Amino acid sequence: MSRGGRGHRGGQTGPTDPPIDDLGRRLYGAVLVLGLLGALGVTVGVARPWITATSTLRGLPTIHASASGADLAPVAGALGVAVLAALGAVVATRGMVRRVLGAAILVASVVVLVSVVAPSGSGEVLRSGLSSKGWPGGDYQTTTEPWRWLVLAAAAAAALAGAATVRFGGQWAVMGSRYDAPRAAGRVDPVPADQLTENDVWQAIDSGRDPTQEP
C-alpha cells in the first residue's frame, strides 16, 4: 500500500497536461493573427504623425508642424509590408523554409523597434515644417503622438510572432495538404447503378463524385 502511494505522489505530469507539440500546433492561428495585426499596425502607424511641434512666439500666430513615421523612419514602412508578405508565405511553406521566414520576420520587427525608439532627424524635420509656415526661429514645444507608441507595440507583436514561427513553425500544417480533398490511392472500377448500395452512394458523394456517372 505504501509503495503504491509513493508511486502516485512521484508522478510529475498530470494526464491533462498538453504535450508541447500539441501546444505548438494550437498556436498556429494565434501566431498568424498576432503577426498580421502587428504588421498592419506598423504599416498604418508609420504613415501617421509621430512627433508634433508648436511655436507660440509673442505677437505671432501659433504654428504647428509634425513629423510622421515615414519622415523619421522610412525603412519601417517598407519592413511592415515585408512582414505582411512573409506571413503570407508562412501559410504556404513548411519546415526549414517556414523557420527562415520566421527569423526574417523577427529581424525586420527588431529593426522597426530600434527605429521607433531612436528616430533620427526629428529636429530637422520639425524645424523645416515650422519654417515653411512662417516660423522665424526660436523655441518650440514638441509632443510625442500615440501613433509612435502604436508602431512600437505592433513591432513587438510582430517580433513575437516571428520568434514563435521559428520555434513552432515546423509543427504547423501546410495549407495545400490540409485543405485538399482526399483522393483515392488507385483507380476504382465503377459499380453499375443497379448494384449500388446506400453506403456506396454516400461514399461517392463524400468524395465529390456523382454516383450515377462513370469516372
Side-chain angles (χ1 to χ4, degrees):
M1 294 295 291
S2 60
R3 180 180 300 175
R6 285 196 299 271
H8 178 73
R9 289 194 299 269
Q12 297 180 355
T13 303
T16 59
D17 294 340
I20 295 178
D21 287 351
D22 290 344
L23 175 62
R25 294 188 188 99
R26 285 200 292 266
L27 287 175
Y28 184 24
V31 169
L32 289 180
V33 171
L34 181 66
L36 179 62
L37 292 176
L40 288 174
V42 170
T43 305
V44 172
V46 164
R48 304 294 182 175
W50 281 13
I51 304 175
T52 57
T54 304
S55 172
T56 55
L57 298 178
R58 181 177 298 178
L60 294 175
T62 301
I63 301 174
H64 300 279
S66 64
S68 70
D71 297 325
L72 304 179
V75 69
L79 289 176
V81 175
V83 169
L84 278 174
L87 286 166
V90 164
V91 177
T93 55
R94 70 176 72 198
M96 183 56 64
V97 175
R98 180 176 276 168
R99 292 175 183 264
V100 170
L101 287 169
I105 292 171
L106 176 59
V107 171
S109 302
V110 170
V111 173
V112 174
L113 282 170
V114 173
S115 69
V116 175
V117 173
S120 60
S122 58
E124 181 180 351
V125 173
L126 292 172
R127 287 191 292 271
S128 176
L130 290 171
S131 297
S132 67
K133 298 180 179 180
W135 177 62
D139 295 334
Y140 59 89
Q141 297 76 42
T142 61
T143 304
T144 299
E145 298 297 327
W147 293 107
R148 181 182 174 188
W149 307 127
L150 170 65
V151 175
L152 183 67
L160 183 60
T165 302
V166 173
R167 172 64 179 85
F168 300 110
Q171 304 171 13
W172 295 341
V174 179
M175 182 177 65
S177 62
R178 182 176 180 180
Y179 296 103
D180 283 348
R183 296 183 179 181
R187 180 180 176 86
V188 180
D189 293 333
V191 179
D194 58 351
Q195 298 181 18
L196 285 173
T197 65
E198 183 179 354
N199 187 48
D200 293 333
V201 172
W202 284 113
Q203 286 184 351
I205 293 174
D206 284 340
S207 65
R209 295 190 293 111
D210 183 351
T212 63
Q213 300 292 327
E214 293 187 1

